[in-house]
Amino acid sequence: MSEPLLEVSDLQVYFPVYGKGLVPRHINDVKAVDGVTFQVGRGETLGLVGESGCGKTTTGLAVLRLIEPTGGSVVFDGVDLSTLDKRDLRLLRKRMALIFQDPYASLDPRMSIGAIVGEPLEIHRLTQTRADRDDRVGELLELVGLSPDYRNRYPHEFSGGQRQRVGIARALATEPDFIVCDEPIAALDVSIQAGIMNLLEDLQDELGLTYIFIAHDLSAVQHFSDRIAVMYLGRVVEVADRVALYETPQHPYTAALLSAVPVPNPAVQRTRQRIILEGDVPSPLNPPSGCSFHQRCPKAFEPCPHVDPALRTTKRDHDVACHLHDPALSGAAGA
Amino acid sequence: MSDPILSVRDLRVRFGTKRGVAEVVNGISYDLHAGETLSIVGESGSGKSVSVLALMRLLAEPPAAIAGSVLLHGRDLLKASHRDMRSVRGKDLAMIFQDPMTSLNPVRTVGYQLSESMSLHLGLTADSARRRAIELLDMVGIPSPDVRIDEYPHQLSGGMRQRVMIAMGLSCDPDVLIADEPTTALDVTTQAQITDLVAELQQRIGMAVIWITHDLGVVAGIADRVIVMYGGRFMEEAGVNDLYAAPNHPYTDGLLGSLPMPGADRPEKLVTIPGLPPDPVAMPPGCPFAPRCVHSDASRCHIEVPVFEPDRARHLVACHYPLQVTA
Amino acid sequence: MTVAPSTPMERLPEKPVSRSREIWQTLIANRLAVAGLVVLALLVLMAVLAEVIAPFGINDIDIPNRLTGPSMSHWFGTDDLGRDVLSRVIIASRVSLQVGFIAVGFALAFGVPIGLVAGYYRGKTDSILMRLMDILFSFPAILLAIAILAVLGPGIRNAMVAIGLVYTPIFARITRGSVIVVSEEVYIRAARSLGARDGRIIFRHILPNVLAPIIVQTTLSLAFAILSEAALSFLGLGVQPPNPAWGRMLAEGRNFFQQAPWMGIFPGVAILVTVMSFNFVGDGLRDALDPKQKSVIESRGQSV
Amino acid sequence: MSQFLTKRILQMLVALLGVSIVVFALIHLVPGDPVRVALGTRFDQDLYDMLRERSGLDRPFIEQYFAWLGNALTGDLGLSFRNSQPVTSLVLERLPATITLAFAALFVAIVVALPAGIISAVRSGKPLDYAVSAASQVGISMPDFWAGVMYILLFALTLRWLPSSGYVSFLESPIEWLRHLVLPAITIGLISGSVITRFVRSAVLEALNQDYVRTARAKGLSEWRIIRRHVLPNAWIPIVTVVGLQLGFLMGGLVVVEVIFAWPGLGRLALTAVKDRDFTLLQGAVLYIAFMFLTINLIVDLIYVRLDPRVRVS
């Protein structure tokens, strides 16, 4: 990994739950993100993968402080975001952008494409005259493969893939260094997904962007990312290089997730060893004691229900939160 | 080979819309044999879901207009009376849907919804329907079925709800189970549970399955035969191994190329299919895929609709210039 | 920056459909809404030109011709003082429309800002504002208007205030509800992620997107404000004699009901037609602007 | 459930407190001296002093409010400015007639609206639907006072089927009671019913378009069974809410209709109080009507909870 642009440590996002009583009492927290630590190197893509409810999107939003974290720190290019006041944070937003999952909901239906892409320029006063802004909007539209002539059209006239391109153009308007892509292809058809992924790759090469790529589709994440963090129930359970994660997954959850991803090749799909997990993801309102995966884990052993495993480095650039890989306990695992 | 259970011939579905007539399904034909799993794959708007809703006669007519024939054990369902059709639904043809949350009635218990078709089609009494409902819940892998039977859908997880839907579908031993994107709304690990469950139940019970999906990965795991649908027409039909090993249609080939494959090696670039799917209100005159196809030519593809050439044995392709790949 | 190489240029369908045009087309495709619009246009015209159109003066007393039925000279007959009912119905349209527009304007002016603030900032501000609105909502609307008029004294100006006050919570609730829904939209988060300030988010993104339900509610409220005014005038709390108001004319006609039913029938028909026209336009607007919005005749639940 | 109940009851009490403040404050908004205004031409110094002292108008506002509230809680709403009788007994005397009319009107509204709305939804887009929609559109736009007067003209004065006004106690003569009740109940009930019809229609239509209806069809259930067993149980939930909201309208309608039909209820009492500038009586009547309104809303909410397992079983 290159020099880190973003360092996230022990990030927590809790959503308070109130009782139903007359005077609502704070009774519990949904620990949507519960102690997440990772770094993203400059020019790198970190994939954040997990099933619904694992906290991957919340992590992405908390990193940008679009949701206030409950605890932990996010350091962006040497600046601790939690120390910034509203104004400074707004200024810093120039350098960080977000691309959304739903290309239909993320564009204001009452604004033209030109106004949508031009809005960040207006907010940060990046262009002086109207003509400047129009020129820049045209450039941005071309950059994402749309004709500048479309600037007076409205979102409803575009297809999902085209709207996603508009969203990307908007994100690029302020020339950010860092973009969180929150499931940018999940809402698109297969034949359109590839185009968006290729576009994002090209833009990264050309503009030197740093990405966090959030997705539930492990194949897409694996294709797109340099390193991958796997999340389960608000925690990162494993972080590794894309190849290492695929070839030698260390966490049983990662292994199960990999084996559940259907491979579009019948010869492979029908012969490979698959791990089918039992049951469902537990409620984040009431996570199990110890390792939150232990109830479903095919390899759970004595310490798992009691001790919460910490994320530790087991190999170079490969971190895992599992007792199986704890040298102090590995004997007890008994294989 | 034995006679097919279900034969669909030249099925067409049109919808009257404000903008004009939408031609959503444009003449599709296929046979389904006992115990087999047929997968119909397509992107949104390809007409795959509408085609099965039409054969179940679950589309409101109007705005839909359905033509062609759907022969179940030789009897044309499109000509059956509403009453006869009701006795077929849930009994001979069962269907499960994409979103198990909205597909279950929120104010009725699991047991109520499960027993309903059994008392209707099998004439079971309340007691025996309940006993069988508990058995069914157990069969689809729901823990403590005697408790779950009295719960409401909102008390179950997404995966559990889909299991309930499957139990409902299987309750009257149907000949055909139609599954319309049953795992799309679920997470991958749950998806794996559900696909395995259906495959296992099919082995045990022996019903035929039509599995509608957009996910070529899921298809690779479950289907015996695959049909690729685009713009309301069938593009290609083949056994699952043939199709993936040797896609003959440029669209199938493009779809497979656009998928990121899990693995250590990755291609420099994914294949993209330029352009957009056709507008059902303004279908192109020739091949629906021609406007996006790199191999299309103005003289044939944009004028003449390609059809399946029956002489290509078990691998059918609707293309004037099929790719010359062989398995 | 140069164009990224492998991104295909995608084409749009040629014909762009402008949104305002689409709304207009949906609206005029609705025959009832068109009928409503035409009637309302005529009504406004009639109110503006009332003096010119009315064949008689509103207080032209003609005792010898009192209580005569509809005829060529008096199309709607005459009342107990021999005044021309048609002329009075025409002149009274002015009061009805005036009260309707001013009262609803009052409700809009207070209700919408309250709803915007409560819905956008949530928390304590929201609780306090909405509890206040709830209190106003705890009275059957006409009863609250009657009580206000009892205190302020009857009259057209006080009637406008009373109706306006009674309608304020409806606008506050509708605005707040829509603001809350729109605030959750992804495009609002998108604006925030770009560094937009609250003011920009409220005025550039939220307000334009909550206008549709407010416009629909305004139209429907006009209908019910006119009904409320008529009821208040009928009870003698609105427009005071000798000025004509539809509700008032009906009340006066009651005493002569068997001899001169036209005294009550025509003003009633005038109210019915006016209210129905506003309702048709409101329903049509709802279908055109905001198909997802549920029927807002809930307002009738809160009126009259 | 019991937690919900306590919470809801307490909420209602808070609302009632708010209502009492508004009702109490009203009298203080009267320009000038309300007692003097009320007595008007029949001014009498002794009576004036007595009423003024009794209503506590000479004390500070907050103190007055709490004194008034304390009295109100014990059932003492003061003396009528007009005839010096206790307001509570004047109000209670009128209460049965109002409750009778309110329930009769609600009954008419529901009996009309449920079948009309359901048929209209099931036959949506067909002639019957248009007929129902047209009728309900007229009903919604109909001024209630005009409808009442028209019914009197037609059924009482012209056809002479029913009495034009007045009230007969049930104990005195059940038949006369009913004959007197019909016209006022229909006046309010049909208008209210028109509004409810539209909501029933949209609630049933909405439920008909849900995925679970498609599931039920896929099971082979008959259309009628689907409506009865799957659609209506879901549609009830929004319908009950609307019926609750309608009550505000219905009770507002009472004021006008009671005047037209000389129905000795609270609405007419309130209006008499307004005419007489009898502010204490007005306070009492308004407070009772608001109380009734809030109570019915509470009941509606409880029914709502019973109907929806998502709220009931969590």
Side-chain angles (χ1 to χ4, degrees):
Chain A
M1 190 179 73
S2 53
E3 163 219 354
L5 176 68
L6 182 83
E7 292 173 86
V8 176
S9 32
D10 200 26
L11 187 71
Q12 293 169 327
V13 183
Y14 294 174
F15 297 111
V17 175
Y18 294 97
K20 280 184 180 168
L22 179 66
V23 182
R25 209 156 27 92
H26 178 200
I27 48 170
N28 204 347
D29 288 307
V30 173
K31 296 177 176 171
V33 178
D34 194 14
V36 161
T37 301
F38 59 78
Q39 290 91 39
V40 190
R42 229 174 259 279
E44 184 192 43
T45 302
L46 175 78
L48 212 52
V49 70
E51 297 179 278
S52 46
C54 74
K56 53 189 191 300
T57 292
T58 311
T59 303
L61 295 174
V63 161
L64 297 175
R65 250 187 89 184
L66 286 168
I67 291 181
E68 283 300 325
T70 313
S73 73
V74 177
V75 177
F76 175 76
D77 205 10
V79 182
D80 185 344
L81 295 189
S82 61
T83 61
L84 298 181
D85 60 20
K86 236 180 151 178
R87 194 175 150 272
D88 289 340
L89 185 66
R90 282 203 321 110
L91 290 176
L92 197 66
R93 295 222 178 278
K94 242 191 317 204
R95 299 189 51 199
M96 311 185 297
L98 179 59
I99 296 170
F100 297 85
Q101 167 170 2
D102 186 342
Y104 292 86
S106 59
L107 306 179
D108 188 334
R110 312 275 152 157
M111 283 170 82
S112 68
I113 297 306
I116 289 170
V117 176
E119 186 169 30
L121 303 171
E122 212 177 297
I123 290 172
H124 295 288
R125 308 215 163 78
L126 295 177
T127 44
Q128 306 311 315
T129 63
R130 218 196 138 96
D132 280 358
R133 194 165 80 217
D134 283 354
D135 288 349
R136 179 81 179 113
V137 167
E139 268 175 43
L140 287 161
L141 288 176
E142 273 182 17
L143 184 67
V144 298
L146 293 171
S147 160
D149 302 340
Y150 293 163
R151 64 162 63 90
N152 295 324
R153 304 276 189 102
Y154 283 80
H156 73 271
E157 299 173 46
F158 292 80
S159 72
Q162 290 171 323
R163 286 171 190 230
Q164 198 57 294
R165 287 171 191 267
V166 173
I168 294 172
R170 170 174 64 187
L172 293 173
T174 56
E175 302 189 43
D177 316 73
F178 169 58
I179 301 183
V180 173
C181 310
D182 182 11
E183 303 248 18
I185 55 167
L188 305 175
D189 262 321
V190 186
S191 69
I192 308 295
Q193 289 183 350
I196 296 294
M197 281 204 279
N198 288 347
L199 171 65
L200 288 171
E201 272 174 4
D202 292 342
L203 291 168
Q204 182 169 41
D205 291 348
E206 215 164 311
L207 308 172
L209 297 169
T210 303
Y211 289 138
I212 288 184
F213 185 85
I214 300 171
H216 66 274
D217 177 351
L218 195 51
S219 308
V221 171
Q222 226 240 332
H223 172 84
F224 193 78
S225 314
D226 300 310
R227 283 186 316 127
I228 299 169
V230 180
M231 287 188 74
Y232 185 78
L233 219 60
R235 309 217 164 187
V236 170
V237 295
E238 186 163 4
V239 191
D241 167 68
R242 59 179 290 277
V243 177
L245 190 93
Y246 179 75
E247 287 181 344
T248 54
Q250 298 199 340
H251 199 286
Y253 177 65
T254 311
L257 198 60
L258 274 169
S259 87
V261 175
V263 180
N265 180 340
V268 178
Q269 177 69 6
R270 288 173 190 230
T271 51
R272 67 196 183 121
Q273 201 65 43
R274 292 166 65 215
I275 309 162
I276 300 294
L277 290 178
E278 297 279 315
D280 300 302
V281 181
S283 154
L285 191 60
N286 213 345
S289 61
C291 172
S292 49
F293 186 59
H294 81 262
Q295 290 160 332
R296 307 176 71 198
C297 182
K299 292 185 174 162
F301 64 116
E302 193 273 318
C304 300
H306 315 294
V307 187
D308 188 6
L311 189 69
R312 61 170 72 76
T313 307
T314 54
K315 289 190 223 159
R316 206 172 72 81
D317 279 348
H318 200 143
D319 301 353
V320 64
C322 178
H323 294 308
L324 283 172
H325 301 279
D326 185 346
L329 289 169
S330 57
Chain B
M1 200 182 322
S2 61
D3 285 344
I5 303 178
L6 188 73
S7 287
V8 175
R9 288 293 171 269
D10 199 29
L11 183 68
R12 290 171 189 275
V13 185
R14 296 162 166 232
F15 288 92
T17 72
K18 263 193 213 166
R19 293 166 50 231
V21 176
E23 300 169 344
V24 178
V25 177
N26 298 310
I28 59 171
S29 305
Y30 59 94
D31 289 333
L32 183 72
H33 294 273
E36 89 170 323
T37 300
L38 171 69
S39 197
I40 302 180
V41 199
E43 297 180 274
S44 45
S46 62
K48 57 187 191 302
S49 288
V50 169
S51 75
V52 284
L53 289 170
L55 74 85
M56 288 284 282
R57 302 230 339 240
L58 285 174
L59 295 170
E61 300 169 74
I66 304 171
S69 67
V70 174
L71 303 174
L72 178 75
H73 297 302
R75 184 162 64 120
D76 192 348
L77 296 183
L78 297 187
K79 295 200 175 77
S81 68
H82 285 282
R83 188 192 191 84
D84 288 349
M85 199 55 219
R86 281 204 301 272
S87 68
V88 168
R89 286 190 209 124
K91 178 138 199 328
D92 303 312
L93 295 179
M95 188 160 177
I96 57 178
F97 301 95
Q98 176 173 348
D99 188 344
M101 180 75 242
T102 57
S103 298
L104 289 168
N105 191 333
V107 307
R108 292 294 190 191
T109 62
V110 166
Y112 183 95
Q113 298 186 59
L114 257 172
S115 312
E116 229 179 357
S117 39
M118 292 189 281
S119 47
L120 177 74
H121 296 300
L122 309 178
L124 296 190
T125 61
D127 269 357
S128 49
R130 185 183 166 86
R131 263 199 308 279
R132 175 139 163 82
I134 294 176
E135 279 169 32
L136 283 164
L137 288 178
D138 190 46
M139 183 176 85
V140 297
I142 289 182
S144 38
D146 47 333
V147 178
R148 293 296 190 179
I149 192 167
D150 294 317
E151 292 192 339
Y152 289 93
H154 73 272
Q155 293 168 283
L156 308 177
S157 70
M160 293 275 203
R161 287 184 207 127
Q162 199 57 292
R163 284 168 194 267
V164 170
M165 284 297 291
I166 292 171
M168 260 164 62
L170 299 182
S171 61
C172 300
D173 286 320
D175 298 332
V176 182
L177 178 71
I178 299 172
D180 184 7
E181 303 240 19
T183 60
T184 304
L186 306 174
D187 273 316
V188 271
T189 56
T190 317
Q191 169 171 284
Q193 293 171 352
I194 298 292
T195 48
D196 277 25
L197 174 70
V198 173
E200 183 209 314
L201 292 171
Q202 189 180 15
Q203 296 254 303
R204 267 169 63 183
I205 302 169
M207 76 276 185
V209 175
I210 300 180
W211 189 295
I212 306 291
T213 181
H214 68 276
D215 189 330
L216 284 159
V218 170
V219 173
I222 53 144
D224 299 320
R225 213 147 45 88
V226 185
I227 292 171
V228 179
M229 198 168 173
Y230 183 85
R233 294 180 187 278
F234 286 172
M235 299 287 107
E236 187 162 8
E237 176 179 343
V240 67
N241 291 316
D242 272 2
L243 188 94
Y244 284 80
N248 280 188
H249 198 287
Y251 175 63
T252 316
D253 189 48
L255 270 187
L256 284 169
S258 69
L259 290 177
M261 293 279 182
D265 315 314
R266 62 175 151 185
E268 188 53 34
K269 279 274 172 290
L270 296 170
V271 176
T272 59
I273 304 175
L276 299 171
D279 180 354
V281 177
M283 274 290 169
C287 169
F289 187 60
R292 298 174 74 186
C293 183
V294 283
H295 306 287
S296 66
D297 70 14
S299 61
R300 281 187 84 188
C301 300
H302 288 276
I303 295 166
E304 187 188 331
V305 179
V307 292
F308 280 165
E309 297 294 340
D311 56 309
R312 288 179 70 104
R314 300 290 298 140
H315 194 142
L316 303 170
V317 59
C319 180
H320 296 306
Y321 304 105
L323 303 174
Q324 298 303 320
V325 205
T326 41
Chain C
M1 271 190 247
T2 53
V3 179
S6 75
T7 53
M9 282 267 192
E10 288 184 2
R11 278 193 336 227
L12 270 188
E14 279 314 307
K15 243 190 346 199
V17 196
S18 99
R19 205 181 131 66
S20 46
R21 188 185 205 151
E22 197 184 312
I23 290 170
W24 179 246
Q25 280 170 350
T26 320
L27 188 65
I28 58 167
N30 181 334
R31 266 177 276 168
L32 288 180
V34 173
L37 270 177
V38 170
V39 172
L40 288 182
L42 291 176
L43 262 171
V44 170
L45 200 69
M46 183 172 98
V48 172
L49 303 174
E51 271 99 358
V52 187
I53 299 173
F56 295 88
I58 48 167
N59 286 316
D60 288 357
I61 294 170
D62 181 9
I63 301 291
N65 277 322
R66 68 193 288 262
L67 300 178
T68 55
S71 63
M72 283 308 285
S73 52
H74 298 283
W75 290 1
F76 287 5
T78 60
D79 69 2
D80 53 320
L81 297 174
R83 296 176 296 189
D84 180 46
V85 174
L86 175 62
S87 304
R88 289 175 68 81
V89 166
I90 290 174
I91 302 281
S93 68
R94 186 178 282 180
V95 177
S96 280
L97 292 179
Q98 204 184 346
V99 175
F101 282 115
I102 293 174
V104 172
F106 177 102
L108 266 172
F110 286 92
V112 172
I114 290 175
L116 269 177
V117 169
Y120 186 74
Y121 290 103
R122 308 297 301 270
K124 286 223 165 62
T125 331
D126 181 26
S127 302
I128 293 169
L129 287 173
M130 293 328 283
R131 285 303 81 71
L132 282 175
M133 294 296 112
D134 282 352
I135 290 172
L136 289 182
F137 246 16
S138 302
F139 297 94
I142 192 93
L143 188 71
L144 186 59
I146 289 173
I148 294 169
L149 286 176
V151 168
L152 298 181
I156 180 169
R157 196 160 303 177
N158 290 342
M160 290 177 194
V161 173
I163 297 171
L165 203 62
V166 166
Y167 278 75
T168 300
I170 299 177
F171 284 98
R173 276 197 180 181
I174 288 203
T175 309
R176 173 180 176 270
S178 314
V179 168
I180 288 175
V181 172
V182 171
S183 301
E184 298 288 313
E185 291 284 353
V186 186
Y187 57 80
I188 301 298
R189 175 166 280 162
R192 205 165 277 145
S193 81
L194 301 173
R197 290 192 180 90
D198 286 353
R200 183 184 187 90
I201 292 176
I202 294 178
F203 291 104
R204 296 289 284 275
H205 294 281
I206 294 182
L207 198 57
N209 281 291
V210 299
L211 274 183
I214 295 175
I215 290 171
V216 173
Q217 184 59 43
T218 302
T219 319
L220 296 175
S221 292
L222 279 169
F224 299 122
I226 287 170
L227 267 182
S228 299
E229 181 276 327
L232 291 174
S233 291
F234 176 81
L235 295 173
L237 297 169
V239 175
Q240 297 300 304
N243 293 322
W246 292 334
R248 172 131 217 117
M249 290 170 71
L250 236 156
E252 288 161 357
R254 265 181 82 201
N255 303 327
F256 303 93
F257 228 67
Q258 275 182 295
Q259 303 125 279
W262 52 86
M263 275 181 71
I265 289 175
F266 291 112
V269 170
I271 300 171
L272 183 65
V273 168
T274 309
V275 172
M276 210 142 72
S277 305
F278 275 113
N279 281 336
F280 285 158
V281 175
D283 284 351
L285 273 174
R286 187 190 52 237
D287 293 345
L289 285 173
D290 197 1
K292 276 172 291 176
Q293 194 187 345
K294 294 247 193 74
S295 199
V296 209
I297 13 162
E298 197 175 313
S299 52
R300 173 82 198 230
Q302 305 306 331
S303 73
V304 186
Chain D
M1 178 72 195
S2 69
Q3 216 177 23
F4 175 83
L5 187 72
T6 16
K7 183 173 180 174
R8 198 57 196 72
I9 289 177
L10 282 161
Q11 266 176 2
M12 178 185 149
L13 290 179
V14 172
L16 205 55
L17 200 68
V19 166
S20 75
I21 294 175
V22 172
V23 168
F24 181 76
L26 273 178
I27 198 169
H28 288 266
L29 294 174
V30 178
D33 179 343
V35 181
R36 198 175 285 275
V37 172
L39 291 179
T41 48
R42 10 166 239 127
F43 188 79
D44 170 293
Q45 191 62 45
D46 290 345
L47 186 62
Y48 174 80
D49 290 343
M50 198 268 278
L51 286 173
R52 191 138 179 106
E53 206 258 276
R54 189 69 178 66
S55 60
L57 280 166
D58 37 4
R59 281 175 284 161
F61 180 84
I62 300 288
E63 198 183 313
Q64 276 180 50
Y65 171 70
F66 283 107
W68 177 79
L69 186 67
N71 287 336
L73 287 177
T74 60
D76 177 5
L77 289 168
L79 297 181
S80 156
F81 281 177
R82 192 75 193 177
N83 54 18
S84 318
Q85 283 181 10
V87 167
T88 309
S89 59
L90 286 174
V91 168
L92 287 180
E93 212 175 286
R94 303 292 191 97
L95 203 55
T98 287
I99 291 178
T100 308
L101 182 53
F103 276 99
L106 187 62
F107 176 78
V108 172
I110 290 174
V111 162
V112 170
L114 286 186
I118 292 169
I119 290 170
S120 179
V122 173
R123 294 263 170 273
S124 131
K126 304 260 165 60
L128 196 57
D129 177 29
Y130 289 122
V132 170
S133 295
S136 71
Q137 190 60 258
V138 173
I140 288 164
S141 308
M142 179 86 77
D144 42 13
F145 49 92
W146 188 62
V149 169
M150 289 296 139
Y151 294 146
I152 293 177
L153 180 63
L154 183 62
F155 296 108
L157 303 181
T158 310
L159 298 171
R160 297 192 179 276
W161 289 350
L162 293 161
S164 65
S165 65
Y167 170 78
V168 174
S169 137
F170 180 77
L171 298 173
E172 213 172 292
S173 158
I175 291 175
E176 281 306 305
W177 170 83
L178 190 64
R179 280 169 47 81
H180 282 85
L181 186 57
V182 171
L183 285 184
I186 283 180
T187 305
I188 310 176
L190 284 187
I191 292 175
S192 232
S194 304
V195 182
I196 298 177
T197 300
R198 294 191 53 156
F199 277 97
V200 171
R201 179 179 182 273
S202 70
V204 172
L205 263 185
E206 164 133 8
L208 266 173
N209 284 321
Q210 297 299 311
D211 287 351
Y212 54 77
V213 171
R214 191 180 56 186
T215 307
R217 290 200 178 114
K219 281 183 194 171
L221 302 183
S222 70
E223 209 53 18
W224 177 233
R225 187 186 162 97
I226 292 171
I227 287 163
R228 245 172 351 128
R229 299 296 176 85
H230 290 277
V231 172
L232 290 183
N234 279 284
W236 290 143
I237 299 165
I239 290 172
V240 164
T241 316
V242 174
V243 170
L245 277 171
Q246 265 305 293
L247 284 160
F249 160 66
L250 200 141
M251 299 189 47
L254 287 178
V255 179
V256 180
V257 170
E258 285 182 2
V259 170
I260 295 170
F261 290 94
W263 191 265
L266 274 184
R268 191 150 148 258
L269 185 72
L271 204 76
T272 318
V274 170
K275 292 256 158 84
D276 292 348
R277 327 224 78 195
D278 189 344
F279 297 108
T280 39
L281 184 58
L282 180 65
Q283 277 180 339
V286 171
L287 196 64
Y288 265 85
I289 295 177
F291 178 66
M292 265 173 70
F293 181 43
L294 289 172
T295 312
I296 297 173
N297 272 334
L298 175 70
I299 296 168
V300 165
D301 273 14
L302 296 181
I303 297 174
Y304 186 98
V305 174
R306 284 296 318 155
L307 285 174
D308 193 344
R310 283 162 294 190
V311 187
R312 193 172 71 225
V313 200
S314 50

